[in-house]
Amino acid sequence: ISSFLAGGATAAGFFENKLAAMQKELKDAQEEEKEQLHWDKKQVRGLGDLLRRVNHLAIIVEDVGRSLAWYSDIIGFQQIQRPNFDRHGAWLTMGNIELHLIKGKPHTKRGQHPDDLIVCHLALEVTDASAVLQRLEQMQEVQQHNLRWRQNVSVPTPETSRTAKFESHTDGEGKVTQFFLEDPDGYWIEICNCSVLDAAVGYPAGAKVGGMVRAALMRWVQRARQHCREPFRFPHPATAIALHQVDGQKLQNLACRRATYGDICQGFGVEQLRHALAHAGNEVPTAVRLLQQVRAREGSWVLLPPKFLDNSKQLHLTQPIYMEHRPILLGNTGNTGNSANRQNSPPNRPTSV
């Protein structure tokens, strides 16, 4: 009997260990699934099914020692060993991604964005944004007296995005908390609580988009693209109305759209928007196409970056960016002129719509 019981205990232990291993495998798989931010396995293209994760980012820096100190002492990366090969540099890690510093001539430099946060950047996620601000202020006071940062106040939380009709860039209320720091060579690092956006980006957990919905969406996209490629026909003069007949609510909506970075209404004054609506007979889509025609004739696009808070918590006003650009949606099927230039002064352009 004792040997029988011993055998049963051994079998029970075996199955318990097997069950524990299976549970661990399931948990690991679930954790791996969580790390795949908004990844839809059904929409894999190119090499997508062969890639695992981001291994490292590499940037060219002028002074490896200076950058190494900055990323270690301020951002918190840890230096790691690297192979002995023919390249002066340094490797660092954040635990789940590496940063490689390469000695050379950087493609950027400090001070290129004095009045905006339209910057290429590496984003690092945190769970306690208020603690980040406290640590930055502490480092500035005790060690890094020249440390500066900016806070972006233009990305709304999911709740704000659902309830606010137009954007507001005056404070951080209802916004994702994002701090931006510029490294010694002009690269930007974002520190954010971006996980608050997970539920609003990509496909919600467990959600599935059916084939009919996908097909309908693709048809809508194709029609929209075709419509944008068709030459624009101005409305018949009889459809135009007097300035005093312009719909006040539509005019206000167009004016509010100027807070959205990249919107066609940016760079136009209220009276210019009023003239566009009058010429379009209060038809907003036609008025928008008229504004696009103006930008096409000028050969430039006006972008007004969102305001941000500096490290003293003061609201910083931004300067417009003028881009040489002729969008394909204007019926220009030739060279789209995708080159963009940041200019210090606006080009000569007509003020009338």
Side-chain angles (χ1 to χ4, degrees):
I1 296 176
S2 60
S3 60
F4 175 78
L5 293 176
T10 302
F14 170 80
F15 284 111
E16 286 180 358
N17 293 335
K18 189 68 174 177
L19 178 60
M22 294 174 62
Q23 290 175 336
K24 184 179 184 303
E25 291 180 2
L26 178 60
K27 183 178 179 180
D28 292 343
Q30 291 174 340
E31 290 298 324
E32 183 179 356
E33 190 74 18
K34 289 180 181 178
E35 291 299 320
Q36 297 176 351
L37 291 177
H38 326 301
W39 181 257
D40 185 358
K41 296 181 179 179
K42 295 182 180 180
Q43 296 196 51
V44 173
R45 298 181 181 181
L47 299 175
D49 59 330
L50 303 177
L51 306 180
R52 289 187 56 220
R53 60 185 176 88
V54 176
N55 177 269
H56 71 271
L57 300 175
I59 59 175
I60 300 174
V61 300
E62 184 176 10
D63 188 322
V64 174
R66 181 181 62 179
S67 296
L68 178 60
W70 192 88
Y71 279 98
S72 299
D73 297 340
I74 295 178
I75 303 302
F77 276 85
Q78 298 176 2
Q79 186 176 10
I80 58 176
Q81 294 288 338
R82 69 180 193 133
N84 183 20
F85 66 117
D86 59 345
R87 187 167 302 173
H88 181 51
W91 287 8
L92 304 99
T93 183
M94 186 53 75
N96 55 3
I97 190 172
E98 294 180 8
L99 176 66
H100 295 179
L101 307 179
I102 303 173
K103 173 77 173 180
K105 185 178 181 180
H107 300 292
T108 184
K109 63 181 180 179
R110 282 184 65 89
Q112 286 187 320
H113 295 270
D115 297 308
D116 66 74
L117 276 176
I118 309 302
V119 295
C120 297
H121 59 274
L122 167 64
L124 304 175
E125 186 174 323
V126 298
T127 56
D128 190 345
S130 60
V132 171
L133 180 58
Q134 294 175 4
R135 186 69 58 82
L136 289 173
E137 293 174 339
Q138 180 183 13
M139 287 192 297
Q140 184 188 56
E141 180 180 358
V142 178
Q143 299 171 316
Q144 309 287 341
H145 302 299
N146 295 324
L147 180 61
R148 299 291 184 269
W149 61 88
R150 301 175 183 178
Q151 181 179 349
N152 184 34
V153 290
S154 66
V155 179
T157 62
E159 178 63 25
T160 303
S161 182
R162 286 191 296 268
T163 57
K165 185 175 182 180
F166 295 105
E167 298 184 50
S168 171
H169 307 146
T170 57
D171 55 48
E173 185 69 24
K175 310 293 174 53
V176 178
T177 303
Q178 300 169 294
F179 299 108
F180 283 79
L181 295 88
E182 187 177 19
D183 87 346
D185 294 287
Y187 299 105
W188 288 85
I189 300 297
E190 174 190 344
I191 302 176
C192 67
N193 60 343
C194 297
S195 60
V196 301
L197 295 173
D198 287 350
V201 180
Y203 297 103
K208 294 184 178 180
V209 180
M212 295 182 63
V213 175
R214 292 180 189 273
L217 179 60
M218 290 304 300
R219 288 195 298 270
W220 180 86
V221 170
Q222 291 173 358
R223 288 197 302 269
R225 287 176 176 172
Q226 180 61 33
H227 175 71
C228 290
R229 285 176 169 83
E230 294 176 355
F232 175 67
R233 295 179 176 82
F234 284 94
H236 190 274
T239 63
I241 59 175
L243 291 176
H244 70 273
Q245 295 177 304
V246 168
D247 188 302
Q249 185 61 57
K250 293 181 179 180
L251 177 60
Q252 181 181 356
N253 289 345
L254 288 180
C256 289
R257 284 176 53 170
R258 295 180 299 176
T260 301
Y261 177 72
D263 191 278
I264 183 60
C265 295
Q266 289 198 317
F268 288 104
V270 174
E271 289 306 310
Q272 291 175 306
L273 297 176
R274 187 191 306 276
H275 277 80
L277 275 173
H279 191 80
N282 272 329
E283 292 292 332
V284 173
T286 302
V288 167
R289 297 299 291 269
L290 289 172
L291 298 177
Q292 292 171 340
Q293 285 288 321
V294 172
R295 294 297 185 227
R297 291 198 302 268
E298 297 167 359
S300 67
W301 208 262
V302 181
L303 306 176
L304 297 177
K307 297 182 283 290
F308 60 85
L309 301 178
D310 59 25
N311 57 277
S312 62
K313 301 181 181 179
Q314 297 297 313
L315 193 65
H316 189 104
L317 301 181
T318 56
Q319 299 298 318
I321 298 172
Y322 301 93
M323 297 181 62
E324 296 179 3
H325 186 54
R326 293 183 183 274
I328 195 171
L329 54 81
L330 295 173
N332 179 13
T333 56
N335 182 7
T336 58
N338 287 327
S339 61
N341 294 320
R342 179 182 299 271
Q343 303 176 4
N344 295 326
S345 59
N348 294 326
R349 59 178 187 270
T351 58
S352 62
V353 177

